[in-house]
Amino acid sequence: MEYAALQEEIKNAMRARDKNRLAILRQVLGEVKNIEVNERREIVEADVDAMLKRLVKQTSETLEGSIKAGTNEERTAMLKEQVEILEAYLPKQIEGAELVALVEKTIAEVGAETKRDMGKVMGALNAATGGNFDKAAAAKEVGSRLA
């Protein structure tokens, strides 16, 4: 998600009076602005995506704790909604046939032949996609193609 698109989504949430979405998007914006101020550089799309992934992970962990505690159903419902909102803004994950084709291409580019080369292939996949792929499925596919 681009920085300008994030700001536009905040405006849309304000117009729709969607307080939960607005709070989450403002949290993302605040974290991204911290990067801008602390590192003194322009924000790129990868910064926003990384922040979204980090917040999804943090909110998911909080949600798991809330579910295990089982005491506050209202808070658990709010956390579920927050995770869904954040995941909607994440870039599309590469999976299925597209992932298989990318794995084949990457194995050929890296010149991988044995399972020892699996780390190289996974690293190249991560670099090529920015980490936006189903890692478990990719590891299974790479493992099945290498001797």
Side-chain angles (χ1 to χ4, degrees), residues 13-137:
M14 290 169 121
R15 289 182 194 116
R17 300 189 193 285
D18 187 346
K19 291 181 181 180
N20 203 9
R21 181 178 302 273
L22 180 61
I24 287 292
L25 292 174
R26 280 185 172 162
Q27 183 179 2
V28 173
L29 181 66
E31 296 288 336
V32 170
K33 283 194 177 211
N34 283 341
I35 293 171
E36 188 175 38
V37 170
N38 293 339
E39 297 181 15
R40 293 186 174 99
R41 63 179 175 85
E42 289 292 316
I43 298 301
V44 294
E45 189 172 347
D47 294 327
V48 178
D49 290 343
M51 194 56 56
L52 285 168
K53 286 177 187 176
R54 196 174 103 209
L55 287 173
V56 165
K57 183 178 179 194
Q58 288 174 348
T59 308
S60 295
E61 289 171 355
T62 306
L63 174 62
E64 287 174 18
S66 181
I67 290 171
K68 285 180 183 175
T71 55
N72 192 343
E73 292 179 22
E74 185 178 313
R75 181 169 189 259
T76 302
M78 182 189 72
L79 288 169
K80 281 182 184 176
E81 184 181 349
Q82 288 177 349
V83 169
E84 290 170 7
I85 290 168
L86 288 168
E87 287 177 343
Y89 290 111
L90 285 174
K92 181 184 160 283
Q93 296 282 311
I94 298 172
E95 52 193 11
E98 187 179 0
L99 180 62
V100 171
L102 184 62
V103 165
E104 289 175 1
K105 178 182 166 200
T106 305
I107 289 173
E109 286 175 358
V110 172
E113 296 175 2
T114 66
K115 291 204 185 252
R116 288 183 178 170
D117 298 326
M118 191 166 175
K120 291 179 189 175
V121 175
M122 293 300 286
L125 281 170
N126 200 28
T129 63
N132 294 324
F133 64 99
D134 184 352
K135 290 162 186 64

